[in-house]
Amino acid sequence: MLRGGEATGGGAARPGITLAAVAVVQFMVSLDLSVVNVGLPRIATGLGFSAAGLTWVIHAYALTFGGLLLLGGKAADRYGRRRVLLFGLGLFGLASLAGGFAQEPGHLVAARAAQGVGAAALAPAALALLTATFPAGRARVRAFGVWSATNAAGGALGVLIGGLLTEYAGWRWVMFVNVPMAACALVLARRGVTAGPPPARGGRPDVLGAVLATAGMTLLVFGVVRTDRYPWSSPVTLTTLAVAVALLAAFVRVERTTAREPLLRLGLFANRSVAGANAYNLLVGAAMASSFYFVSLYLQRVLGTGPALTGAEFLPFALAVAAGSVLAVRLGYRLAPRTLMAAGGLLTATGFAWFGLISPDGAFVTDVLGPSIVAGAGFGLCLAPVVSTATAGVAPHETGTASGLLNSSRQIGASLGLAALGAVAHDRTGPITTPEALNAGYALGLTLSAVLLAAAALIALVVLPRISPPSRTGQADAHRKEILV
């Protein structure tokens, strides 16, 4: 039985229920990053999306999620983790219900954006609760192992669940499926999550910074995505990207000079663990989001597989991720986090490089199964170490901010990676839509995903500090002190 930290207010600690609530939350949040992928063709037919507009079903969620996560983390620190978690769950459930009843493209995109806002509130609050409930030792390793397994399973099983729902229940159920999960997490959180200590009451949260960051990232992704219509050298693309860079520069300036409580204390990046883990997570998020997209399209548009079977063919990847996560827990007592992150990144890169060999006359067994197992195991291996590394060295009053930053780097990486690699793949394919041409674009995108993961492994080895594995409570305490140096 897992034993966590002591409650500091609001009733007796119930770490098992807290862990269950956090696990459901993370599964749901991760699920929504991939659950719509397989259903996109039928969503386009049902609501009348254009080809360019359809990508915003994914981007609307990822960008609001990633852009507002820092504000969500700050809100969790200031207003209380439990309160922010409950608010986020309520908003996420209602947005999912509204999305399922959407009648026009704008309705669904707005619902997906609202889901992202809810996820930006509940994800950092949940991770901060996990960090506070399991502060050290073997219980922490196990808890983060459970977190990483549900996180990975949500992303991987999202494709399977989305395919099954799309084919047998209708695409609207890829939205409705969140409602019972949000309700379950609400019940668990209300019963098992304590109020915690009185939240810090500093300055008001920096809403302007959140708006600038989200607007800048949205314009950046929009500029990259629209290169299918406007070339990189066109005035439209150059102006869009210039405005995006200006907004992001303004965000940095606001964080340095604001009279309010900064959304992100830039000094956090002086900590090598925080900087390295987030750079690593950015590249992993970019590679994973792109690979899910390319493999799903390869199975459906090149090999002619239906939605349900496409989802089922992602199951070996999901099982491999779970196995890698379990292995990471066992190895976490003997190997340093950066060693696991480097090994996981290289193994995943190997799987994606193998994916890059797909052929238009291939098959699931010869072109998908093997690389799915290799990439999945590598991905599972690095999930828990990157989370533990990015949050263990942060002061207690900034754990929500650090959690939001880590989640934000992944979501922003997912949007940027999908936009950039999707544009490169489209350039390779051109206007031709034959299986051979599509295969060439998808193969290039998957190969570039492998390059991104190799770069992530290099960051783990070069940037992250040498830290001993947390095999005992004393070692975990030393681990936290070493990160702060």
Side-chain angles (χ1 to χ4, degrees), residues 346-451:
L346 288 175
L347 190 59
T348 311
T350 301
F352 285 166
W354 190 355
F355 263 130
L357 302 177
I358 55 175
S359 63
D361 56 350
F364 169 73
V365 174
T366 57
D367 291 62
V368 177
L369 180 59
S372 292
I373 294 173
V374 173
F379 184 47
L381 198 62
C382 64
L383 279 174
V386 71
V387 175
S388 184
T389 298
T391 58
V394 176
H397 69 280
E398 287 189 311
T399 55
T401 301
S403 301
L405 179 61
L406 185 69
N407 276 295
S408 183
S409 65
R410 180 186 173 194
Q411 305 313 324
I412 290 172
S415 282
L416 289 176
L418 180 56
L421 297 190
V424 171
H426 181 270
D427 287 343
R428 168 64 65 88
T429 302
I432 303 173
T433 58
T434 62
E436 291 77 13
L438 293 173
N439 183 86
Y442 303 154
L444 177 60
L446 289 163
T447 300
L448 292 176
S449 296
V451 173

Side-chain angles (χ1 to χ4, degrees), residues 57 80 118 121 128 149 153 189-190 192 199 208 217 227 312 355 376 436:
V57 176
R190 290 181 65 87
L208 175 60
M217 293 306 307
T227 55
F355 263 130
E436 291 77 13

Side-chain angles (χ1 to χ4, degrees), residues 19-48:
L19 178 60
V22 170
V24 173
V25 165
Q26 196 58 44
F27 180 86
M28 181 177 66
V29 168
S30 297
L31 180 83
D32 260 65
L33 289 170
S34 59
V35 72
V36 301
N37 281 353
V38 177
L40 285 175
R42 295 195 181 182
I43 290 174
T45 301
L47 295 182

